[in-house]
Amino acid sequence: VRARTGLTLDPMFSATKARWLLDQVPDGVARADRGELCIGTMDTWLAWNLSGGRAFVTDATNASRTLLLDLDGLAWDDELLEVFGIPRAALPAIRGSGGVVGETRATAGLPAGVPIGAVIGDSHAALVGHGFPGPGSVKATFGTGTSVMAPLPAPARDPRLSATVAWAEEDPTGAIAAVHALEGNIVATGAAIAWVAAITGHEGRSAEVETLAGSVPDAGGAYLVPAFAGLGAPHWDADARGLVCGLTRGTTQAHLARAAFDAVAYQVRDVLEVLEPAVGMTLTALFADGGAIQGDLLARITADTTGLPVVRSRADSLAALGAAYLAGLAVGCWSSRDEVRDLPRVTDRIEPGEAPAADGYAGWRAALGRAASRPVA
């Protein structure tokens, strides 16, 4: 699986879920083999419904997360389909991320005939939204979890990271050309801050939690490992569970809130520690987007912890913007990637300040080892 797909076997990826669903449907595998059942990504479902059932497609970025794609050939892999018991007839056509895959049907609030010009995964679209950055760059999309992604000139494999298609384009003949990437998928980052908000009585009020966390200079030796649903990259430990440690009588709600913000930055550093040698390039800045990073406290902590300047997008949804860039290229709004790169963007840059205490990250690694179900590398 790793050799073909660049992924590890983990509940984050969908082939095992697809097989489970087929097992729950009476005669599911046979019906799928006859084309009576369709299996796809969320983008497949959206394109199908937007087009009135005429477009049964996914794109290479979404396909690369299923455990069924030959990453080098950009096609469904026959051997993997057999391993997981997924009939090829049930799977969508793989298309480029930018390119017209169909037209809308008329429905409430949506006219007929609008071209569907882009299909792309969320974290991948955010990378495009930063302006099609090239090799040597890295971006982090901060949401419930965090995607740390670095584009590459060719496919690469690292068991601690996810190999993926960053974005793909297709020519008039339908041939697909892909830009590849390595990605670290972190399960809980914004979710860690939301959890602290809930237990401290600030649920839904992220600005108040940030103020609380910023009222102390550090976490006072406390650590939160937000392994609520296991640990993603680079650890891939689905059986790990969350942990709070380092508490004393002097630990307050503010320290716990600060520990949640620290945990986000520590997890990003965990990924960068393996990503930089894997891509073989020195990373000079971290392009950042997403709701969780809009607060200055997390941006500053992330810059200090990783040692990289954080170049933060102020766009409300960079993933939506990236999809719009691809669709605009597909229908001729822009003529080239260079033209898109030159478009104005609202960003700010947070430089690393004084490095955190030397034992801060070491303490995080010790806490991580206590939360893990097996030794942490």
Side-chain angles (χ1 to χ4, degrees):
V1 169
R2 284 177 175 168
R4 300 285 176 85
T5 71
L7 305 176
T8 188
L9 287 170
D10 188 85
M12 184 175 291
F13 309 119
S14 56
T16 52
K17 302 174 188 178
R19 176 59 202 226
W20 183 89
L21 287 168
L22 288 177
D23 288 342
Q24 309 313 304
V25 176
D27 204 23
V29 174
R31 292 176 61 193
D33 197 33
R34 293 194 297 267
E36 296 174 17
L37 300 177
C38 295
I39 299 169
T41 65
M42 177 58 75
D43 290 44
T44 304
W45 184 88
L46 288 169
W48 175 269
N49 283 281
L50 288 171
S51 67
R54 291 186 290 272
F56 183 41
V57 299
T58 190
D59 87 307
T61 68
N62 283 289
S64 72
R65 314 321 294 270
T66 61
L67 296 171
L68 300 174
L69 183 79
D70 176 352
L71 191 65
D72 299 301
L74 299 180
W76 301 123
D77 185 273
D78 287 328
E79 188 173 0
L80 290 173
L81 294 177
E82 183 177 351
V83 166
F84 289 103
I86 307 294
R88 177 183 285 272
L91 293 174
I94 300 171
R95 300 288 300 271
S97 310
V100 176
V101 299
E103 294 184 341
T104 60
R105 66 171 179 176
T107 187
L110 182 68
V114 177
I116 303 170
V119 177
I120 186 169
D122 178 64
S123 60
H124 307 77
L127 181 66
V128 172
H130 283 288
F132 295 97
S137 57
V138 60
K139 72 90 189 178
T141 298
F142 292 81
T144 301
T146 292
S147 156
V148 183
M149 185 182 293
L152 298 169
R157 306 288 195 277
D158 189 295
R160 301 162 297 179
L161 301 165
S162 301
T164 188
V165 174
W167 66 82
E169 296 170 338
E170 57 181 70
D171 65 22
T173 70
I176 298 174
V179 173
H180 291 266
L182 282 173
E183 182 180 17
N185 307 100
I186 304 169
V187 177
T189 50
I193 297 171
W195 180 78
V196 167
I199 67 170
T200 58
H202 300 87
E203 188 167 10
R205 301 192 298 276
S206 57
E208 293 180 12
V209 180
E210 182 179 1
T211 299
L212 182 65
S215 68
V216 291
D218 53 51
Y223 290 90
L224 165 63
V225 181
F228 307 128
L231 293 167
H235 315 292
W236 298 113
D237 186 352
D239 294 322
R241 286 298 175 263
L243 174 76
V244 178
C245 63
L247 303 181
T248 70
R249 286 289 298 273
T251 304
T252 65
Q253 288 189 354
H255 292 111
L256 186 58
R258 177 58 185 260
F261 281 77
D262 289 347
V264 175
Y266 287 141
Q267 290 182 99
V268 172
R269 178 171 169 180
D270 281 348
V271 171
L272 293 176
E273 291 279 328
V274 301
L275 183 63
E276 187 169 60
V279 301
M281 302 176 190
T282 299
L283 304 174
T284 58
L286 179 66
F287 292 94
D289 63 275
I293 197 66
Q294 295 306 312
D296 289 342
L297 179 63
L298 181 57
R300 176 173 59 80
I301 293 172
T302 301
D304 289 347
T305 301
T306 63
L308 293 176
V310 172
V311 181
R312 175 174 57 187
S313 170
R314 287 299 195 177
D316 287 340
S317 174
L318 207 64
L321 186 61
Y325 287 161
L326 287 165
L329 286 167
V331 300
C333 289
W334 303 290
S335 60
S336 68
R337 288 189 210 165
D338 288 338
E339 191 175 347
V340 172
R341 288 190 186 101
D342 291 339
L343 294 172
R345 292 180 184 81
V346 181
T347 63
D348 47 26
R349 184 181 178 99
I350 299 91
E351 297 287 346
E354 184 179 346
D359 64 349
Y361 188 62
W364 160 258
R365 297 289 295 182
L368 198 62
R370 297 174 69 178
S373 69
R374 58 178 182 266
V376 174

